[in-house]
Amino acid sequence: MRERSKNEKTILYRIHERFSQISNFAIKNKIPRIFVSDISSSLFCEWRKILEIKHGKPETEEMILGTKIHEEYFAYELESIDELEKIISRGETIGLTTKVGFIWEEKNQDFKVMISGEPDLMIFSERKLKKIVELKTRRTYDIFSSDILQLGIYALCIEKMTGENLKDLQLEIRVKVVSDNLKEFSRNFYYKDIRDGILDELKSSLDFWLGKRDPKTPTSKNICFSCYFREICDRKLV
C-alpha cells in the first residue's frame, strides 16, 4: 500500500467533498434519494413503509427518548472542516459525524438512485477512519440484523465515495436498554466480514424501493406486536 503524502487530503475531507458533489449531481439530475435508515428499518416489514407514506410516521415515547439520548450521548461541537483536517492529519483520535452517500446505478438500465445517511459517530485515528458507531435505544438486550445492515450500508457508502480499502474498518452497535435503567452493551465486527452480505441485502431491498416487486410482509408475530400500525394494518399476523 502506498504511503500518503503529508499534503494529501484526509479521508474525512474526501468524504465531505465527495458528498457535496454527489448531492449536487443528484439534485441537478433529479435523482431520487433513499435514506439508509429507511432501508434498514424496512428489512423485516416493507409494508410498514407503505403505511408510513400513507399515514405518516407516528412519534412514540420510545422514539422521543431515543432522540433525547442521541442528542446527549453525541453532544460534541464540530469545528470547521479545515480544523478537523489538521487534527486528523496529525494522527490524533477524534470522533465526529458527516453525511455519506453514493449513486446506485442499475445495470443495463438508465436509472439511478442516491443512497445517503449520517452515521451517529465516526472515529478517526492515525489518519484513518477506524470505526463507525450506531447507537440504538430499545427495551430488550437485542441487536438485530437491521442494525448490522444500517452500519454496513454506511461503510459501503464510504467505500464507494473514496475508493478506500476498508478491510480494517470496525463497526460497532451500542444499545441502551430503556427497561433496565439505560444500561449499555455493544457488539463489534469488521466490515470486511459482512460486506458481501450487505451488498446482497441492499440489492434485494432496492428491488422494493425501485418498484420491481411488491413489499414484503412480516414472517414473525413479534414484528407485528411492536409495530405502531398494528391497529390499522390489514396484513398483520396478530
Side-chain angles (χ1 to χ4, degrees), residues 8 12 20 41 55 64 67 77 98-101 119 130 132 138 145 147 153 155 159 163 195 226:
E8 185 176 355
L12 171 64
S20 179
S41 63
H55 300 285
I64 294 173
T67 299
E77 294 184 5
T98 189
K99 294 177 181 178
V100 299
K130 291 289 189 176
I132 304 175
R138 52 180 54 119
S145 52
D147 303 331
I153 298 177
E159 176 189 316
R195 183 189 182 280
S226 62

Short mmCIF file of all heavy atoms in Angstrom, two decimals, residues 8 12 20 41 55 64 67 77 98-101 119 130 132 138 145 147 153 155 159 163 195 226:
data_model
loop_
_atom_site.label_atom_id
_atom_site.label_comp_id
_atom_site.label_asym_id
_atom_site.label_seq_id
_atom_site.Cartn_x
_atom_site.Cartn_y
_atom_site.Cartn_z
N GLU A 8 -1.65 15.36 1.23
CA GLU A 8 -2.83 14.68 0.71
C GLU A 8 -4.00 14.86 1.68
O GLU A 8 -3.84 14.77 2.89
CB GLU A 8 -2.55 13.19 0.50
CG GLU A 8 -3.70 12.46 -0.16
CD GLU A 8 -3.36 11.01 -0.45
OE1 GLU A 8 -2.19 10.64 -0.21
OE2 GLU A 8 -4.24 10.27 -0.90
N LEU A 12 -11.63 12.09 5.73
CA LEU A 12 -12.76 12.93 6.12
C LEU A 12 -13.00 14.02 5.09
O LEU A 12 -14.14 14.26 4.67
CB LEU A 12 -12.51 13.58 7.49
CG LEU A 12 -13.54 14.66 7.89
CD1 LEU A 12 -14.92 14.05 8.04
CD2 LEU A 12 -13.12 15.37 9.15
N SER A 20 -20.77 16.43 -1.19
CA SER A 20 -21.29 17.65 -1.79
C SER A 20 -21.44 17.50 -3.30
O SER A 20 -22.45 17.91 -3.89
CB SER A 20 -20.35 18.83 -1.47
OG SER A 20 -20.82 20.02 -2.05
N SER A 41 -34.66 -0.05 8.30
CA SER A 41 -35.86 -0.22 9.12
C SER A 41 -36.97 -0.97 8.40
O SER A 41 -37.94 -1.41 9.03
CB SER A 41 -36.39 1.15 9.59
OG SER A 41 -36.78 1.95 8.48
N HIS A 55 -49.87 7.26 5.96
CA HIS A 55 -50.42 7.81 7.20
C HIS A 55 -49.45 8.70 7.97
O HIS A 55 -49.85 9.34 8.95
CB HIS A 55 -50.88 6.67 8.11
CG HIS A 55 -51.93 5.79 7.51
ND1 HIS A 55 -53.24 6.18 7.39
CD2 HIS A 55 -51.85 4.54 6.98
CE1 HIS A 55 -53.94 5.19 6.83
NE2 HIS A 55 -53.11 4.20 6.55
N ILE A 64 -39.07 9.41 21.12
CA ILE A 64 -38.72 10.70 21.73
C ILE A 64 -37.54 10.52 22.68
O ILE A 64 -36.60 11.32 22.69
CB ILE A 64 -39.93 11.29 22.47
CG1 ILE A 64 -41.04 11.63 21.46
CG2 ILE A 64 -39.53 12.53 23.26
CD1 ILE A 64 -42.33 12.05 22.10
N THR A 67 -34.31 9.96 20.72
CA THR A 67 -33.78 11.21 20.17
C THR A 67 -33.04 12.01 21.24
O THR A 67 -31.95 12.55 21.01
CB THR A 67 -34.92 12.06 19.58
OG1 THR A 67 -35.57 11.33 18.53
CG2 THR A 67 -34.38 13.37 19.03
N GLU A 77 -19.06 19.36 19.81
CA GLU A 77 -19.07 20.53 18.95
C GLU A 77 -18.10 20.31 17.80
O GLU A 77 -16.91 20.04 18.00
CB GLU A 77 -18.66 21.77 19.75
CG GLU A 77 -19.68 22.16 20.83
CD GLU A 77 -19.28 23.45 21.51
OE1 GLU A 77 -18.29 24.06 21.07
OE2 GLU A 77 -19.96 23.82 22.47
N THR A 98 -20.46 12.97 9.71
CA THR A 98 -20.70 13.72 8.49
C THR A 98 -21.56 12.86 7.56
O THR A 98 -21.63 11.64 7.72
CB THR A 98 -19.36 14.09 7.81
OG1 THR A 98 -19.63 15.01 6.73
CG2 THR A 98 -18.66 12.87 7.25
N LYS A 99 -22.21 13.49 6.63
CA LYS A 99 -23.11 12.78 5.73
C LYS A 99 -22.32 11.95 4.73
O LYS A 99 -21.25 12.35 4.29
CB LYS A 99 -24.03 13.75 5.02
CG LYS A 99 -25.00 14.46 5.94
CD LYS A 99 -25.85 15.48 5.20
CE LYS A 99 -26.80 16.20 6.16
NZ LYS A 99 -27.60 17.23 5.48
N VAL A 100 -22.89 10.79 4.39
CA VAL A 100 -22.26 9.91 3.41
C VAL A 100 -23.30 9.49 2.37
O VAL A 100 -24.51 9.54 2.63
CB VAL A 100 -21.66 8.65 4.09
CG1 VAL A 100 -20.59 9.04 5.09
CG2 VAL A 100 -22.74 7.83 4.79
N GLY A 101 -22.84 9.07 1.22
CA GLY A 101 -23.79 8.63 0.20
C GLY A 101 -23.10 8.31 -1.12
O GLY A 101 -21.95 8.67 -1.34
N PRO A 119 -24.08 8.54 9.83
CA PRO A 119 -23.82 7.69 11.00
C PRO A 119 -23.85 8.50 12.29
O PRO A 119 -23.62 9.70 12.28
CB PRO A 119 -22.41 7.14 10.73
CG PRO A 119 -22.18 7.35 9.26
CD PRO A 119 -22.95 8.57 8.89
N LYS A 130 -11.32 4.61 11.61
CA LYS A 130 -11.13 3.38 12.35
C LYS A 130 -12.44 2.65 12.66
O LYS A 130 -12.49 1.42 12.68
CB LYS A 130 -10.41 3.66 13.67
CG LYS A 130 -8.97 4.09 13.52
CD LYS A 130 -8.09 2.94 13.08
CE LYS A 130 -6.62 3.32 13.15
NZ LYS A 130 -5.73 2.17 12.82
N ILE A 132 -17.06 2.98 12.81
CA ILE A 132 -18.35 3.65 12.72
C ILE A 132 -19.23 3.08 13.82
O ILE A 132 -19.27 1.87 14.02
CB ILE A 132 -19.02 3.41 11.35
CG1 ILE A 132 -18.11 3.85 10.21
CG2 ILE A 132 -20.36 4.15 11.27
CD1 ILE A 132 -18.67 3.53 8.83
N ARG A 138 -33.61 0.59 23.01
CA ARG A 138 -34.73 -0.35 22.93
C ARG A 138 -34.96 -0.99 24.29
O ARG A 138 -34.16 -0.83 25.22
CB ARG A 138 -34.47 -1.40 21.85
CG ARG A 138 -33.15 -2.14 21.92
CD ARG A 138 -33.05 -3.14 20.77
NE ARG A 138 -33.27 -2.52 19.48
CZ ARG A 138 -32.38 -2.47 18.50
NH1 ARG A 138 -31.21 -3.04 18.66
NH2 ARG A 138 -32.65 -1.88 17.36
N SER A 145 -30.49 -7.80 12.85
CA SER A 145 -29.79 -7.78 11.57
C SER A 145 -29.99 -6.44 10.86
O SER A 145 -29.16 -6.04 10.05
CB SER A 145 -30.26 -8.93 10.68
OG SER A 145 -31.67 -8.97 10.57
N ASP A 147 -29.81 -3.59 12.32
CA ASP A 147 -28.75 -2.72 12.85
C ASP A 147 -27.46 -2.92 12.07
O ASP A 147 -26.77 -1.96 11.71
CB ASP A 147 -28.49 -3.03 14.32
CG ASP A 147 -29.72 -2.91 15.20
OD1 ASP A 147 -30.61 -2.10 14.86
OD2 ASP A 147 -29.79 -3.63 16.22
N ILE A 153 -24.26 -0.47 5.32
CA ILE A 153 -24.51 0.43 4.19
C ILE A 153 -23.75 1.74 4.36
O ILE A 153 -23.26 2.30 3.39
CB ILE A 153 -26.02 0.68 4.00
CG1 ILE A 153 -26.75 -0.64 3.70
CG2 ILE A 153 -26.25 1.65 2.85
CD1 ILE A 153 -28.25 -0.50 3.57
N ALA A 155 -20.85 2.04 5.71
CA ALA A 155 -19.49 1.71 5.31
C ALA A 155 -19.38 1.58 3.79
O ALA A 155 -18.41 2.03 3.18
CB ALA A 155 -19.04 0.42 5.99
N GLU A 159 -16.94 3.51 1.16
CA GLU A 159 -16.11 2.77 0.21
C GLU A 159 -16.33 3.29 -1.21
O GLU A 159 -15.37 3.52 -1.96
CB GLU A 159 -16.44 1.28 0.28
CG GLU A 159 -15.71 0.43 -0.73
CD GLU A 159 -16.23 -1.00 -0.79
OE1 GLU A 159 -16.46 -1.59 0.28
OE2 GLU A 159 -16.42 -1.52 -1.91
N GLY A 163 -13.12 5.11 -2.61
CA GLY A 163 -12.29 4.09 -3.21
C GLY A 163 -11.33 3.45 -2.24
O GLY A 163 -10.42 2.72 -2.62
N ARG A 195 -19.40 -7.46 4.27
CA ARG A 195 -19.59 -6.65 3.07
C ARG A 195 -20.44 -7.34 2.01
O ARG A 195 -21.38 -6.75 1.46
CB ARG A 195 -18.24 -6.25 2.48
CG ARG A 195 -18.36 -5.35 1.26
CD ARG A 195 -17.04 -5.14 0.55
NE ARG A 195 -17.15 -4.25 -0.59
CZ ARG A 195 -17.62 -4.64 -1.79
NH1 ARG A 195 -18.00 -5.89 -2.00
NH2 ARG A 195 -17.70 -3.75 -2.78
N SER A 226 -44.81 -5.20 17.88
CA SER A 226 -44.09 -3.96 18.18
C SER A 226 -44.37 -2.84 17.18
O SER A 226 -43.81 -1.75 17.30
CB SER A 226 -42.59 -4.23 18.22
OG SER A 226 -42.13 -4.69 16.96
#
